[in-house]
């Protein structure tokens, strides 16, 4: 006799279960890379270039060698003797590990010192004398392609200029025909500025090479341990099975901890040469000035319109500033990431996108900072263009969007750039948001306030983000297909352990993966332990970034649980002495179809797998699943913001912010809400205060937290979240679509659109982010657009 279990009570899908990982974090018991101390461990510090572009005439490290406690000084010349001066990037480019011929951005790694402690190492770095010959500097794409521009990557053969790629997608001829027949063409130019993920924990590693076993163990702050292992095997020319990458607790990633950084490579070589563990922990200045940036894309957008508001076509050109090395972590075939996901929520017949990528004298950019490979830029450009077009038509912002949405009955829908979206209720999400913001009433308040000299504004932003990249037919990184994996082992007592190829850094995998197992098998979530981040124990996976967790790794957890259930069904038939065809399943138990009161629990099946299996069955109850997603998932959201702008100072305050997210099935509603709030906070910061740029000499302006402001609870506005729209993904095993990045992707445009709406009537079409008070004041006072593109005056 047995009974089905209650899914919510056992912590399955839909339960707002408290995050189990928080038990150690809130007690200060997390285990981060810098917490690890190994016997005989040495410390490494990096000397960085103060100049953005300069020839290295000489490096004198003799004084550094003379400092007591210094064990090794590495320079580019020494790295070159071991074929380690350059390393491959994730975009088939090369990147300097330590500069040899010249430096190409401020903060580039020039030398490093390994010493008894980090203070000695830092003092020794300051004792190294580098003789630089300054060279002309490039800080934007226009300068990069200008006649006579210095070639930044003169180290590369067949690289006569600074252009990395020219790429296009869509129907050029069809788009041209649509524009020729348009009643109105709306145009907009803008710049999505550089931003930095700025995780609380900086990058770091501890390399420990054991000469006796020839095994290299590296503890490091990586979101993708298996990809790093493959990269280390290629760079260090070590066999992959003799490399162990361990990613302990990660203090935030946001895409910043996906690339391979020179510090990792240097610490590994130092450990091999010295045969002692070598720790490198980056400081905040080093992290802000040199590690993976995001965004820095320029848009020239055009929209062909009928007078009634129907969009006939879209034409987009983007210029991407990739910095000194093309090191984007993105699918190989898409040079500008998934920029062509723009306008996927709108029923547009035809579109064409061109893109050019260029080198500049900046740190490498292009990381997927809380987005799925340039989708943040795509959605920002989309929604800024939507607002400009509605204004040009004289149409209501909400009505214009509603008119052009893909209707519910049109799914699956092929976008003008070739994506296949599978499901959504776009108009319903908009209706929920408009009701929550009290749209018509606010518009009346806005008109009344304007008559009294007050500037109120309302901004709408929608987004549908392609998540879970991606199916093996189209998606790979360095040739490795973008599947993911899960391994599930159920012990004889019915307790279980799950291992995946993903790596959590705040998403709550230790909580939600257990909930998926509970949903599929009826094992209480508290009886399931989740492990990730160790390449010696975890199955191969592509890591966690671009919201791949639930769409791909979470799907793998569901599929491996179903493999376990399939074997358990055979065990249940054996225990109940019936054929497998007579067995039915309900959560937590199998029962006989003709005698529902006779059944066995999943725990009883687990015991039988070790103690009473049928003849010919392999003992144990464990399995591994590799999930190759058949398509991307497409969550949808509507974000609506109301603001008030002070015309005297340019300061703007958020009055209300409503978020309506349809992310399919929510595994843990509480964690989902936390992800949305975190994303909205980052969206607000990008639009309002996070300012990092470059002057004409390539100096990084904003490489400190006095200028690059991170929002605290004091500055962050309140958010009103709505979850009543749920459209399950038809091809995902549990119907989930993903949520971790949506608010950061769609949110910025809502804030910017609200401010532009508030100053409507001034003739201003665009103010580049962040919308600092002086920029807003300038736009109002001089009735002109305000660009934030570099170079800027460093004394501003």
């Amino acid at each position: 006799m047995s009974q089905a279990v209650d899914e919510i009570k056992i912590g399955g899908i839909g339960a707002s279960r408290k995050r189990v990982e928080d038990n150690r974090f809130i007690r200060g018991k997390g285990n981060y890379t810098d917490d690890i101390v190994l016997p005989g461990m040495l410390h490494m510090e990096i000397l960085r270039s103060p100049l953005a572009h300069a020839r290295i005439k000489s490096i004198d490290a003799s004084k550094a060698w003379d400092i007591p406690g210094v064990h090794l000084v590495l320079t580019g010349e020494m790295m070159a003797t071991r074929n380690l001066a350059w390393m491959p990037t994730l975009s088939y480019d090369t990147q300097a590990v330590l500069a040899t011929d010249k430096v190409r951005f401020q903060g580039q790694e020039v030398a490093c010192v390994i010493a008894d402690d980090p203070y000695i190492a830092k003092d020794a770095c300051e004792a190294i004398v580098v003789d630089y010959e300054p060279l002309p500097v490039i800080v934007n794409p226009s300068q990069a392609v200008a006649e006579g521009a210095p070639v930044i990557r003169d180290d590369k053969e067949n690289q006569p200029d600074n252009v990395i790629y020219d790429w296009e997608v869509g129907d050029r001829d069809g788009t041209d025909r649509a524009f020729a027949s348009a009643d109105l063409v709306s145009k907009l130019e803008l710049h999505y500025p550089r931003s930095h993920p700025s995780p609380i924990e900086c990058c770091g590693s501890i390399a420990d090479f054991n000469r006796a076993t020839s095994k290299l163990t590296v503890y490091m702050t990586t979101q993708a341990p298996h990809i790093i292992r493959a990269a280390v095997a290629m760079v260090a020319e070590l066999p992959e099975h003799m490399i162990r990458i361990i990613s302990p607790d990660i203090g935030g990633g946001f895409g910043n901890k996906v690339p391979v950084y020179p510090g990792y490579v240097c610490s590994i070589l130092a450990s091999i040469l010295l045969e002692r563990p070598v720790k490198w922990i980056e400081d905040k200045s080093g992290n802000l000035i040199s590690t993976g940036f995001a965004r820095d894309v320029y848009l020239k957008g055009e929209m062909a319109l009928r007078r009634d508001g129907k969009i006939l076509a879209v034409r987009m050109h983007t210029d991407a500033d990739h910095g000194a090395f093309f090191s984007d972590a993105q699918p190989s075939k898409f040079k500008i990431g998934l920029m062509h996901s723009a306008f996927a929520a709108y029923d547009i017949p035809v579109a064409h996108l061109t893109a050019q990528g260029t080198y500049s004298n900046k740190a490498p950019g292009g990381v997927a900072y809380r987005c799925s490979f340039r989708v943040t830029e795509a959605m920002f450009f989309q929604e800024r263009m939507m607002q400009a077009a509605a204004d040009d038509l004289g149409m209501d912002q909400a009505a214009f969007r509603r008119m052009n949405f893909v209707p519910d009955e049109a799914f699956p829908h092929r976008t003008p750039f070739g994506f296949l979206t599978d499901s959504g209720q776009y108009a319903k999400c908009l209706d929920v948001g408009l009701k929550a913001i009290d749209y018509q009433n606010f518009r009346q308040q806005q008109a009344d306030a304007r008559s009294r000299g007050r500037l109120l504004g309302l901004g709408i932003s929608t987004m549908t983000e392609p998540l879970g990249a991606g199916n093996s037919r189209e998606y790979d990184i360095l040739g490795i297909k973008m599947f993911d994996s899960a391994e599930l082992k159920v012990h004889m007592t019915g307790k279980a352990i799950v291992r995946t190829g993903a790596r959590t850094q705040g998403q709550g995998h230790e909580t939600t993966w257990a909930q998926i197992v509970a949903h599929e098998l009826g094992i209480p979530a508290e009886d399931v332990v989740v492990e990730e981040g160790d390449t010696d124990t975890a199955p191969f996976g592509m890591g966690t970034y671009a919201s791949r967790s639930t769409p791909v790794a979470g799907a793998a957890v569901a599929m491996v649980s179903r493999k376990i259930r399939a074997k358990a069904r055979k065990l249940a038939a054996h225990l109940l002495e019936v054929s497998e065809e007579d067995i039915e399943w309900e959560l937590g138990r199998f029962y006989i179809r003709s005698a529902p009161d006779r059944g066995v629990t999943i725990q009883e099946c687990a015991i039988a797998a070790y103690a009473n299996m049928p003849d010919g069955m392999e003992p144990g109850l464990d399995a591994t699943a590799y999930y190759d997603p058949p398509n991307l998932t497409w969550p949808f959201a509507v974000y609506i913001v109301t603001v008030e702008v002070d015309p005297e100072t340019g300061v703007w305050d958020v009055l209300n912010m409503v978020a309506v997210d349809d992310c399919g099935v929510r595994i843990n509603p509480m964690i989902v809400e936390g992800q949305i709030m975190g994303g909205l906070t980052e969206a607000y910061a990008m639009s309002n205060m996070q300012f990092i740029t470059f002057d004409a000499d390539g100096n990084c302006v904003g490489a400190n937290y006095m200028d690059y402001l991170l929002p605290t609870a004091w500055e962050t506005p309140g958010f009103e979240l709505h979850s009543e729209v749920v459209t399950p993904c038809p091809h995902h095993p549990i119907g989930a679509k993903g949520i971790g990045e949506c608010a950061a992707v769609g949110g910025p445009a809502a804030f910017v659109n609200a401010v532009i709406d508030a100053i409507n009537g001034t003739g201003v079409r665009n103010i580049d982010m962040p919308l600092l008070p002086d920029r807003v004041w300038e736009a109002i006072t001089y009735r002109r657009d305000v660009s934030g593109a570099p170079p800027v005056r460093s004394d501003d």
Side-chain angles (χ1 to χ4, degrees):
M1 299 290 293
S2 60
Q3 292 183 335
V5 296
D6 184 300
E7 180 159 3
I8 298 301
K9 288 183 178 179
I10 66 168
I13 288 180
S16 288
R17 181 179 179 231
K18 290 184 178 180
R19 294 183 5 144
V20 298
E21 45 268 79
D22 288 350
N23 287 331
R24 65 179 184 274
F25 291 148
I26 64 176
R27 290 175 170 85
K29 299 297 184 181
N31 184 38
Y32 301 94
T33 299
D34 199 22
D35 292 325
I36 298 169
V37 177
L38 301 179
M41 187 170 70
L42 301 174
H43 297 264
M44 186 181 88
E45 291 290 330
I46 293 174
L47 176 68
R48 301 184 181 277
S49 168
L51 301 178
H53 199 196
R55 191 79 57 193
I56 296 177
K57 299 175 69 175
S58 65
I59 299 177
D60 183 358
S62 58
K63 291 183 179 179
W65 279 103
D66 291 340
I67 295 176
V70 170
H71 293 258
L72 181 66
V73 179
L74 289 175
T75 63
E77 183 179 347
M78 294 176 63
M79 301 293 284
T81 63
R82 293 165 175 82
N83 199 30
L84 287 174
W86 294 83
M87 64 181 182
T89 73
L90 297 178
S91 288
Y92 294 96
D93 196 4
T94 53
Q95 176 175 348
V97 178
L98 294 178
T100 52
D101 53 342
K102 65 179 183 179
V103 292
R104 293 172 170 85
F105 66 91
Q106 185 184 61
Q108 184 176 347
E109 300 82 355
V110 175
C112 62
V113 174
I114 296 84
D116 287 334
D117 64 52
Y119 308 103
I120 294 174
K122 188 169 284 291
D123 288 343
C125 282
E126 294 176 357
I128 298 173
V129 178
V130 183
D131 186 8
Y132 295 104
E133 177 188 339
L135 298 171
V137 171
I138 291 171
V139 294
N140 64 48
S142 295
Q143 294 177 343
V145 298
E147 185 177 353
V151 177
I152 295 171
R153 294 301 305 276
D154 50 358
D155 61 287
K156 300 181 66 174
E157 294 183 6
N158 303 316
Q159 183 67 48
D161 53 30
N162 295 309
V163 176
I164 304 170
Y165 60 79
D166 285 289
W167 191 78
E168 66 177 304
V169 64
D171 183 349
R172 180 190 292 269
D173 293 339
T175 300
D176 290 344
R177 288 192 296 270
F179 269 83
S181 66
D183 296 325
L184 175 69
V185 174
S186 177
K187 299 181 180 181
L188 187 67
E189 295 188 19
L190 53 85
H191 175 226
Y192 200 128
R194 273 207 167 203
S195 57
H196 196 282
S198 191
I200 294 175
E201 176 200 38
C202 296
C203 297
S205 62
I206 304 171
D208 184 14
F209 181 71
N210 186 322
R211 180 68 66 184
T213 63
S214 296
K215 182 152 188 175
L216 172 68
T217 301
V218 187
Y219 304 84
M220 64 165 55
T221 55
T222 177
Q223 298 173 226
H226 286 92
I227 297 302
I228 292 292
R229 183 180 66 181
V232 169
M234 289 188 291
V235 172
E237 297 182 354
L238 294 173
E240 190 173 1
H241 70 290
M242 298 303 289
I243 302 171
R244 182 184 186 186
I245 304 296
I246 301 174
S247 178
D249 289 329
I250 300 178
F254 309 107
N256 184 244
K257 293 173 181 173
V258 174
V260 180
Y261 291 117
Y264 299 158
V265 179
C266 291
S267 66
I268 289 169
L269 177 60
S271 180
I272 292 173
L273 294 176
L274 296 172
E275 298 185 23
R276 291 175 64 176
V278 175
K279 175 187 278 191
W280 165 64
I281 300 296
E282 184 180 53
D283 60 27
K284 280 292 182 183
S285 294
N287 181 264
L288 274 172
I289 203 171
S290 70
T291 58
F293 284 82
R295 323 303 186 228
D296 211 354
V297 179
Y298 299 75
L299 168 77
K300 293 180 181 178
E302 296 180 300
M303 192 179 290
L305 302 160
R306 279 196 328 228
R307 294 195 190 279
D308 64 357
K310 174 61 180 173
I311 303 172
L312 302 177
V314 168
R315 183 186 287 137
M316 299 171 66
H317 175 75
T318 61
D319 290 300
D321 185 335
H322 290 278
F325 311 109
F326 184 30
S327 61
D328 293 22
Q330 64 189 16
S332 300
K333 70 182 289 186
F334 303 118
K335 297 302 182 184
I336 189 68
L338 303 185
M339 184 72 74
H340 55 307
S341 64
F343 296 97
Y346 296 104
D347 186 13
I348 299 174
V350 65
H352 186 243
L353 166 70
T354 57
Q356 185 175 80
T358 53
Y359 291 117
S360 70
N361 293 121
K362 302 177 185 176
V367 299
Y369 170 18
R370 202 160 188 169
C371 82
S372 186
F373 313 115
R374 300 288 189 184
V375 172
T376 297
E377 295 96 313
M379 295 303 124
F380 183 75
F381 295 160
Q382 163 191 297
E383 289 305 302
R384 292 291 295 115
M385 289 175 67
M386 290 296 291
Q387 182 182 48
D391 287 345
D392 290 342
L393 287 164
M395 281 189 69
D396 175 78
Q397 292 285 336
F400 178 58
R401 286 171 169 81
R402 186 191 310 281
M403 177 181 186
N404 288 286
F405 275 151
V406 175
D408 297 358
E409 65 274 11
F411 292 103
H413 171 74
R414 185 70 65 179
T415 77
F417 291 119
F419 288 106
L420 186 68
T421 57
D422 52 44
S423 59
Q425 301 177 72
Y426 301 161
K428 184 176 180 180
C429 288
L430 180 62
D431 288 341
V432 170
L434 295 176
K435 181 179 178 180
I437 208 77
D438 198 3
Y439 185 69
Q440 295 300 333
N441 186 47
F442 181 84
R443 286 303 192 194
Q444 184 60 52
Q445 293 176 23
Q446 182 183 31
D448 294 343
R450 187 174 291 272
S451 67
R452 298 192 301 273
R454 292 175 57 206
L455 302 180
L456 303 185
L458 183 146
I460 300 174
S461 175
T462 75
M463 73 101 234
T464 183
E465 182 183 8
L467 301 182
N471 68 76
S472 60
R473 300 181 307 277
E474 297 185 278
Y475 295 89
D476 72 88
I477 292 181
L478 290 180
I480 304 169
K481 302 300 184 180
M482 297 183 71
F483 58 85
D484 228 303
S485 58
E487 174 190 280
L488 176 59
K489 184 175 296 183
V490 182
H491 301 299
M492 69 174 64
T493 57
K495 315 300 182 183
I497 182 169
V498 178
R499 296 186 176 102
T500 81
R503 185 65 188 107
T504 187
Q505 69 260 199
Q507 294 88 348
H509 292 180
E510 294 176 42
T511 305
T512 53
W513 291 171
Q515 291 184 249
I516 294 175
V517 173
H519 170 74
E520 295 290 343
L521 295 178
I523 299 174
E526 64 182 13
D527 290 345
V528 181
V529 171
V530 176
E531 291 183 358
E532 296 177 333
D534 187 337
T535 58
D536 268 12
T537 58
F540 185 92
M542 296 296 285
T544 298
Y545 45 88
S547 269
R548 299 182 70 256
S549 291
T550 295
V552 189
V557 173
M559 299 307 287
V560 76
S561 298
R562 294 176 188 182
K563 283 188 173 183
I564 293 291
R565 194 168 72 209
K567 183 174 183 179
R569 179 185 294 273
K570 298 180 185 295
L571 290 162
H574 172 67
L575 294 174
L576 295 169
E577 299 180 326
V578 297
S579 69
E580 188 178 344
E581 290 73 22
D582 293 328
I583 294 294
E584 295 288 345
W585 165 259
E586 60 184 348
L587 192 61
R589 74 186 284 264
F590 295 98
Y591 63 91
I592 301 174
R593 184 183 301 114
S594 60
D597 58 333
R598 289 190 59 208
V600 292
T601 66
I602 189 70
Q603 288 81 5
E604 290 172 308
C605 292
I607 295 173
Y610 296 88
N612 187 17
M613 73 288 292
D615 290 343
M617 177 180 282
E618 185 178 5
L621 197 55
D622 54 82
T624 301
Y626 291 87
Y627 184 76
D628 183 3
N631 189 15
L632 304 171
T633 62
W634 294 87
F636 179 78
V638 172
Y639 304 111
I640 306 178
V641 174
T642 56
V643 301
E644 180 167 3
V645 177
D646 184 343
E648 301 297 323
T649 64
V651 172
W652 54 279
D653 295 311
V654 176
L655 304 177
N656 197 6
M657 203 293 172
V658 168
V660 184
D661 282 271
D662 178 4
C663 57
V665 173
R666 298 187 175 204
I667 300 170
N668 185 314
M670 181 182 66
I671 288 180
V672 169
E673 290 183 1
Q675 291 288 313
I676 295 170
M677 289 185 178
L680 290 176
T681 301
E682 291 185 71
Y684 173 69
M686 291 178 207
S687 66
N688 182 270
M689 62 182 66
Q690 290 191 175
F691 179 57
I692 193 165
T693 187
F694 297 81
D695 66 15
D697 294 323
N699 295 308
C700 186
V701 180
N704 61 77
Y705 290 129
M706 291 293 289
D707 297 315
Y708 194 65
L709 301 181
L710 301 184
T712 67
W714 178 261
E715 295 89 7
T716 304
F719 309 125
E720 180 182 327
L721 309 186
H722 289 263
S723 58
E724 48 264 59
V725 184
V726 178
T727 313
C729 175
H731 63 77
H732 190 274
I734 60 173
K737 295 185 176 183
I739 188 60
E741 299 166 348
C742 296
V745 167
F751 292 104
V752 176
N753 284 346
V755 174
I756 297 298
D757 182 64
I759 63 174
N760 188 27
T762 62
V764 174
R765 294 177 67 81
N766 183 63
I767 305 172
D768 281 341
M769 294 191 296
L771 273 62
L772 303 171
D774 63 310
R775 293 185 182 180
V776 178
W777 177 87
E778 179 184 336
I780 295 171
T781 303
Y782 297 104
R783 305 174 76 86
R784 67 189 183 200
D785 289 5
V786 179
S787 170
V792 299
R793 287 174 49 190
S794 57
D795 58 350
D796 282 353

